[in-house]
Amino acid sequence: MLSIMDFINDLYNPILSFLPRALLVAAVSAVVCAIVGTHVVLRGMAFIGDAVAHAVFPGLAFSFITGGSLVLGGAVAGIATAILVALLSQNRRLKEDSVIGVLFVGAFALGIVIISRSAGYAGSLQDFLFGSLTGVSVDDIPLMLIGSLVVISILAFFNKELVAVSIDRETARALGIPVLFVDIVLYVSVALAVVISVQTIGNVLVLALLVAPAATARLVTNRMSSMMTVASILSLISSFVGIYLSWALDLPAGATIVCVLTVVFASVWLCAPHHGILAKYFSTWKMHKNLSD
Amino acid sequence: MNTFKLLKNTQTSESHISTQKTADTSNRVHTHEHVHHALDVRCLNVTASGRTILDDVSLYVDAGEFVALIGPNGAGKTTLLRSILGLMNHSDAGISSFGAKLNPRSIGYVPQRHEFAWDFPITVRQTVLSGLTGMLKFGRWPRLEHYKAVEEAMKRADITHLAQRPIGELSGGQRQRVLVARALALRPSILLLDEPFTGLDMPTQELLNDLFRSLAREGHAVVMTTHDLISALNQCDRLYLINQTVQACGTREQLQDAKVWIDTFRIRETNPLLSALGLITSEQVSSGQVSSEQEESASGMNVPDATVRSISEFDMSSKNIRAEIYLAENKEKTCRELKGDEE
């Protein structure tokens, strides 16, 4: 197996220039997804995140066969779905999850129909769905960096409204906060975060990048700001380790990153100081022991 | 017909009308004399998908009053609050505050506790500050005056010592106080409380009742919906019995007619609720036999027939409640006497 030093040497190898590029994009998407994901986890809207992630696919497919910018194509499709989900979910006759269930599978199917028009589509389909280290083109990088900055700025700008709507929707409405608009802002941020990360980690797996780091961070923090920070750091480390393992063992990049994230989540879930399973078990055991003494 | 309905349901402040049926229909239209009400709702109608939820509801609350809206489930209490807040489509002949059109954004709203995401990682202080979000524009950060309002509200609700605590670690009563403080941060003249006592134990309810009463005494118009009829009857200045429309309104003394309670709650005449509220045995209470009342009711002797019937269907705990009503009543009397002295 390749050692860490060999991996770092490879990063500086000009022939392997796609490798640092993939690492950069993975790092940026790790941070953006961790911050957006904090809102997603706290609102309990993982399913909406999944829907928006899948809805990006037809846009990517369309850009792919027409030779346009993948980031732009994905962003347009994602934002359109985000707004559609927000509007349709206001109608309480149909439960939100049904609307999303119909929309996201429909969008995904449309994406597959579009991409099947290109010759030899199986290979590119796999790259889209599961990500690839070599997938990031040089032209897309500036657009991605700008997109990341835009997403983080949007979330910072609307932070107090996002929090007010998340903690108490009804009162937020009573306070005169435009709840639908705030929802759309969050859904669009999710769409943009997905578009930024979809090329390295893949369309199917991007949900893990949104949810896993934030969920892990929630187990060890009690403040939103610290939750975002911890989630970003965990996500950065996991992405680095994931890409290293993927390069060293010749594994698919997205899947490896997600496996690392899952292992981190499981370990924290077990061992977190206050909210971990072991800590709870231990405190119960200690209480029983004290009682029997 | 419409005019009759309007007359029937509107009330004036000088003569607290006790029931719809006995309402004096002369001179009842809201006019300039209602200018002093902190909250004045006239002829509010709400229909949803063809079904009438609220039918010609009129009510008023003065500054300094603590008023309860009571009624069975589905009576439209929460709908009424949501309409006042401008969250429901409704028609009305005017909702005003001190003679001017009411701005719903200036109301302090305390929702039911389960509406709030208590697992959100946020401190008590930040939660109270979030009550000012609507007032601050997009992208604007709170300034010194806003932080001052937050500290003031926390002090008023007695949660300053919890300011740094994550909300997930609070008890039910503390959570209710946080929601009250969040509403107070707006410095509202009207406070709407939606079932603040649900799921709280007696001592916590007592403390919260004290808080709500003292907020009213400081000049807020405090309106609460509740299912705790006994505490509402004892603690509130006036009550509105609501079931689709205002069935009755008035002070504790004016609501002694068991019939309006039977109509509002659609219960039988023998329902233990009526004796728990002291409606069936009120003659005894007022004729001064109360000192020995507990013994009497325990043995079932010297009690009018109608009462015996209801008491026999009635367990020990509600007798205690009746004793409590008596004590609370006496307390109220003392308060009134004290007030009289002060004046």
Side-chain angles (χ1 to χ4, degrees), chain B residues 74-311:
Chain B
K77 302 184 296 290
T78 300
T79 305
L80 176 55
L81 292 191
R82 297 190 69 220
S83 305
I84 295 171
L85 287 165
L87 300 176
M88 296 277 302
N89 282 330
H90 65 265
S91 68
D92 61 63
I95 300 183
S96 60
S97 178
F98 298 113
K101 193 172 171 357
L102 175 73
N103 174 14
R105 311 280 168 263
S106 67
I107 299 176
Y109 174 51
V110 181
Q112 295 185 29
R113 277 199 317 289
H114 67 78
E115 301 270 348
F116 194 94
W118 293 104
D119 53 353
F120 204 88
I122 188 172
T123 62
V124 167
R125 183 176 276 122
Q126 289 169 319
T127 309
V128 177
L129 184 62
S130 79
L132 297 173
T133 311
M135 205 168 80
L136 294 159
K137 298 284 167 270
F138 283 130
R140 296 280 291 274
W141 298 102
R143 287 198 299 265
L144 183 65
E145 73 223 51
H146 302 117
Y147 285 110
K148 271 186 184 161
V150 167
E151 295 305 318
E152 203 178 278
M154 286 198 299
K155 195 172 165 214
R156 193 61 207 82
D158 200 15
I159 49 166
T160 309
H161 59 292
L162 303 171
Q164 290 299 327
R165 196 77 78 76
I167 50 170
E169 294 175 7
L170 303 177
S171 69
Q174 289 169 335
R175 288 177 178 191
Q176 195 63 51
R177 279 169 190 276
V178 170
L179 295 184
V180 172
R182 182 181 62 162
L184 287 176
L186 274 173
R187 296 188 171 131
S189 54
I190 305 167
L191 262 184
L192 300 187
L193 310 157
D194 199 358
E195 294 186 19
F197 298 139
T198 309
L200 297 178
D201 61 9
M202 282 300 198
T204 313
Q205 289 194 17
E206 278 179 1
L207 290 173
L208 281 173
N209 251 322
D210 291 347
L211 172 65
F212 299 152
R213 282 174 71 107
S214 63
L215 284 170
R217 297 300 167 259
E218 284 161 24
H220 295 94
V222 183
V223 186
M224 102 176 150
T225 67
T226 182
H227 283 293
D228 187 349
L229 307 182
I230 294 172
S231 129
L233 212 50
N234 284 306
Q235 301 289 331
C236 296
D237 300 314
R238 279 189 307 127
L239 293 95
Y240 279 88
L241 271 62
I242 289 175
N243 197 346
Q244 208 175 50
T245 184
V246 177
Q247 301 282 347
C249 96
T251 62
R252 177 194 167 84
E253 287 72 25
Q254 290 164 335
L255 291 170
Q256 288 302 314
D257 181 4
K259 183 139 183 15
V260 293
W261 296 84
I262 293 169
D263 288 347
T264 307
F265 287 90
R266 312 240 158 91
I267 49 174
R268 295 192 194 124
E269 285 168 27
T270 53
N271 195 300
L273 172 75
L274 297 171
S275 35
L277 292 170
L279 299 174
I280 296 183
T281 53
S282 56
E283 319 85 50
Q284 282 178 297
V285 177
S286 56
S287 64
Q289 294 170 21
V290 212
S291 52
S292 56
E293 189 202 345
Q294 267 176 298
E295 291 167 33
E296 282 172 8
S297 48
S299 61
M301 284 162 65
N302 303 333
V303 183
D305 284 345
T307 328
V308 173
R309 193 159 48 116
S310 60
I311 284 174

Side-chain angles (χ1 to χ4, degrees), chain A:
Chain A
M1 188 177 134
L2 214 65
S3 74
I4 292 269
M5 279 320 290
D6 294 335
F7 176 63
I8 290 171
N9 281 334
D10 282 349
L11 285 176
Y12 288 103
N13 188 337
I15 304 166
L16 304 173
S17 66
F18 64 88
L19 196 58
R21 217 155 54 217
L23 198 63
L24 173 71
V25 172
V28 169
S29 24
V31 173
V32 174
C33 284
I35 291 173
V36 176
T38 300
H39 285 286
V40 171
V41 166
L42 291 177
R43 271 230 196 160
M45 48 170 264
F47 192 51
I48 295 179
D50 199 17
V52 174
H54 282 76
V56 167
F57 188 54
L60 294 175
F62 186 76
S63 307
F64 178 71
I65 62 165
T66 56
S69 160
L70 291 177
V71 176
L72 276 183
V76 169
I79 290 170
T81 319
I83 294 173
L84 213 57
V85 169
L87 288 175
L88 289 176
S89 62
Q90 303 293 312
N91 177 358
R92 291 291 164 189
R93 194 178 178 87
L94 264 183
K95 285 246 170 63
E96 206 171 62
D97 57 345
S98 317
V99 174
I100 294 163
V102 171
L103 268 184
F104 96 83
V105 185
F108 201 62
L110 179 67
I112 292 175
V113 168
I114 293 173
I115 209 166
S116 68
R117 307 306 299 162
S118 78
Y121 79 96
S124 38
L125 183 66
Q126 192 176 343
D127 281 358
F128 276 125
L129 296 187
F130 304 112
S132 92
L133 279 181
T134 53
V136 185
S137 80
V138 187
D139 306 340
D140 280 342
I141 290 209
L143 211 52
M144 278 180 192
L145 291 177
I146 294 168
S148 310
L149 274 179
V150 167
V151 173
I152 293 174
S153 316
I154 288 177
L155 290 183
F157 188 81
F158 290 107
N159 185 58
K160 67 177 189 302
E161 283 80 15
L162 286 165
V163 170
V165 173
S166 293
I167 57 177
D168 186 350
R169 220 178 158 75
E170 188 75 356
T171 307
R173 233 180 233 130
L175 289 170
I177 300 169
V179 172
L180 174 64
F181 174 73
V182 173
D183 279 355
I184 290 176
V185 164
L186 183 55
Y187 295 176
V188 167
S189 307
V190 172
L192 291 177
V194 167
V195 173
I196 290 163
S197 25
V198 79
Q199 293 184 44
T200 44
I201 202 160
N203 209 325
V204 176
L205 299 173
V206 68
L207 184 70
L209 205 58
L210 275 174
V211 177
T216 314
R218 182 68 188 100
L219 290 170
V220 291
T221 55
N222 265 328
R223 296 276 196 290
M224 201 169 161
S225 48
S226 48
M227 185 174 161
M228 283 180 176
T229 316
V230 171
S232 304
I233 293 170
L234 284 178
S235 188
L236 268 176
I237 296 173
S238 305
S239 297
F240 183 83
V241 173
I243 287 188
Y244 160 68
L245 288 177
S246 134
W247 184 241
L249 303 171
D250 196 19
L251 300 170
T256 318
I257 293 175
V258 173
C259 284
V260 175
L261 284 171
T262 312
V263 169
V264 171
F265 173 76
S267 340
V268 173
W269 187 66
L270 275 173
C271 308
H274 297 295
H275 304 288
I277 295 295
L278 289 181
K280 278 183 185 155
Y281 182 77
F282 183 68
S283 64
T284 323
W285 173 79
K286 217 164 128 187
M287 203 174 70
H288 281 297
K289 193 163 171 282
N290 284 345
L291 280 176
S292 58
D293 287 350

